[in-house]
Amino acid sequence: MTNTVIPQTDPKAAYLEQRSAIDQAITRVLESGWYILGREVSAFEQEFAAFNGAAHGIGVANGTDALVLGLRALGVGPGDAVVTVSHTAVATVAAVELTGALPVLVDVDACHGMDPDQLEEVLNGRLAGGARLSSPVKAIVPVHLYGHPVALDRIMDIAARFGVPVLEDCSQAHGATFDGRIVGTFGAIAAFSLYPTKNLGALGDGGVLVTNDAALAERLRHLREYGWKERYISHDAGHNSRLDELQAAILRVKLERLGAHNARRQAIAEAYDRGLDGLPLDLPRRRPNTVPVFHQYVVTTPNRDALRTALQARGVMTNIHYPAPVHLQPAYRDRLPLGPGGLPQTERMAGLVLSLPMYPQLGDEAVASVVAALRDVAPTL
Ligand SMILES: *Cc1c(COP(=O)(O)O)cnc(C)c1O
């Protein structure tokens, strides 16, 4: 048992780890006199694209905007449908509606990713309750939830057969790989949140997109700033969604450690796997041929709420990602079309999932304390 509280996540620890380099980067920007779309943003865009093996990076204000602009760049708008999931951050679904399009939500598989069979059913026009989809599906948005790549082989194959572009929501999966390749370049575009607790996090809001398509990259650059191709002349009905120079400079410092930080998350996940083996809990499943980056380490148990309370009493903080699927939240309930059969797995998971402490600065002793607390309480519930 520990006296100190172990937080579930700790963005301040990430700042302190690189404090002097981050402080220097901030000073460099303050003294430059250039605060919006300058050298730091361009450099970050190039460095982040290179990290992902992508040709182009486009910085934006946050992850929600990255999804909205990504969809708009693909030509999605009012009258169109977009297939995504309900077992995700609400932003994924909100972004689809912000374009004017209709989100169609499908269920997830045992690794918390979009169910390819359900995707195919919806692309064939079939919905829950025998309804038929009348709007054309203009994009597919799979989410690599918790840092686990979705079944990209099957999803890309289905998308190609139906001729529908894929926008990957990589907000929880910076650096995860599928078949040895970093996620984010399987689809036409990938959107990333850079919220402080993400695998790559700013010290404020931020977002970024990557693509290998030069025309899409150009479109995204216009859309993020009033639709300007040249200054003061809008060619698209645009938006203001710029990444700050300050955040870009901070992100460049943090990007240098992204690989090491992901490796530390994987080491913590392995320690949890070993330490929690045999307890009455389901541990995260790894999809074959993937390297997950454990944005979250999520266990599932019918005793989730009791376990959470007992852990908190021992100073081990946890979180629930997410307590309600999007289609059951007040803003969305009873108004979004669902895939055939409804979303039983999504609805079940919301009652079972529990995210254990997970951040790169979490030390071995703290990991051992989390394991000890779970070994203490899980068998008694
Ligand atoms: C965090 C997150 C977003 C939204 O990002 P913001 O930067 O908060 O707008 C979108 N999708 C997923 C899966 C996320 O985890």
Side-chain angles (χ1 to χ4, degrees), residues 25 53 55 100 135 195 225 254 285 302 359:
S135 321
Y195 184 81
E225 193 171 41
K254 295 185 81 178
R285 289 193 206 183
Y359 54 93

Side-chain angles (χ1 to χ4, degrees), residues 62-64 67 88-89 91-92 143 169 171-172 193 195 198 206 322:
N62 56 63
T64 308
L67 290 162
T88 183
T92 312
V143 181
D169 185 344
S171 296
Q172 301 192 4
S193 170
Y195 184 81
K198 301 291 162 93
Y322 295 93

Side-chain angles (χ1 to χ4, degrees), residues 17-347:
E17 183 192 307
Q18 293 184 281
R19 183 176 201 159
S20 71
I22 290 173
D23 288 357
Q24 278 172 37
I26 290 171
T27 304
R28 180 174 78 231
V29 174
L30 295 181
E31 290 179 348
S32 76
W34 194 282
Y35 307 118
I36 293 286
L37 296 188
R39 255 181 243 157
E40 302 288 345
V41 170
S42 304
F44 170 68
E45 289 173 338
Q46 280 167 26
E47 290 159 10
F48 187 72
F51 175 89
N52 287 283
H56 310 278
I58 302 92
V60 296
N62 56 63
T64 308
D65 279 0
L67 290 162
V68 171
L69 298 184
L71 289 168
R72 287 193 57 195
L74 292 173
V76 172
D80 298 331
V82 172
V83 183
T84 188
V85 289
S86 187
H87 185 39
T88 183
V90 73
T92 312
V93 178
V96 174
E97 289 207 308
L98 284 165
T99 68
L102 176 70
V104 181
L105 306 178
V106 298
D107 213 354
V108 292
D109 60 23
C111 297
H112 303 281
M114 176 181 276
D115 180 340
D117 295 325
Q118 285 253 325
L119 168 66
E120 187 155 7
E121 292 276 358
V122 167
L123 290 171
N124 279 318
R126 286 192 281 276
L127 298 176
R132 301 285 307 176
L133 183 62
S134 51
S135 321
V137 175
K138 287 291 186 61
I140 300 163
V141 183
V143 181
H144 305 300
L145 200 71
Y146 308 146
H148 291 270
V150 298
L152 276 165
D153 45 357
R154 290 206 52 212
I155 289 174
M156 293 312 301
D157 174 62
I158 294 165
R161 274 195 278 118
F162 284 84
V164 179
V166 171
L167 169 64
E168 294 174 68
D169 185 344
C170 291
S171 296
Q172 301 192 4
H174 319 62
T177 68
F178 186 97
D179 276 346
R181 193 169 126 207
I182 295 187
V183 299
T185 55
F186 288 82
I189 306 180
F192 298 76
S193 170
L194 303 169
Y195 184 81
T197 58
K198 301 291 162 93
N199 292 50
L200 177 64
L203 299 178
D205 274 311
V208 62
L209 300 110
V210 300
T211 180
N212 279 327
D213 182 319
L216 287 174
E218 198 189 343
R219 185 110 208 271
L220 287 165
R221 284 183 210 289
H222 299 159
L223 287 171
R224 75 167 165 195
E225 193 171 41
Y226 320 127
W228 283 353
K229 277 190 195 170
E230 63 229 79
R231 206 166 176 81
Y232 307 125
I233 307 295
S234 294
H235 290 262
D236 289 302
H239 196 94
N240 170 10
S241 182
R242 297 173 298 221
L243 180 65
D244 286 358
E245 284 285 283
L246 269 175
Q247 296 303 340
I250 293 164
L251 287 160
R252 293 180 66 197
V253 174
K254 295 185 81 178
L255 180 58
E256 289 174 16
R257 296 266 170 96
L258 176 56
H261 283 168
N262 281 341
R264 176 65 192 156
R265 286 174 185 270
Q266 287 153 351
I268 294 168
E270 279 159 26
Y272 281 154
D273 283 349
R274 283 192 302 274
L276 305 179
D277 187 39
L279 290 181
L281 295 171
D282 284 323
L283 305 183
R285 289 193 206 183
R286 288 159 169 76
R287 196 182 300 284
N289 305 318
T290 68
V291 180
V293 289
F294 290 95
H295 175 58
Q296 302 296 352
Y297 185 93
V298 176
V299 299
T300 53
T301 165
N303 296 320
R304 189 266 312 277
D305 295 332
L307 182 60
R308 188 170 193 217
T309 307
L311 289 173
Q312 185 170 354
R314 283 166 171 74
V316 174
M317 305 310 285
T318 59
N319 210 337
I320 298 173
H321 300 99
Y322 295 93
V326 178
H327 71 286
L328 298 181
Q329 297 181 21
Y332 300 96
R333 188 179 312 166
D334 295 332
R335 65 177 191 81
L336 298 181
L338 309 179
L343 311 185
Q345 173 79 352
T346 295
E347 292 178 11

Side-chain angles (χ1 to χ4, degrees), residues 343-368:
L343 311 185
Q345 173 79 352
T346 295
E347 292 178 11
R348 213 165 62 80
M349 281 302 141
L352 305 179
V353 290
L354 186 68
S355 305
L356 301 187
M358 175 55 85
Y359 54 93
Q361 297 77 22
L362 189 67
D364 290 343
E365 255 179 64
V367 172

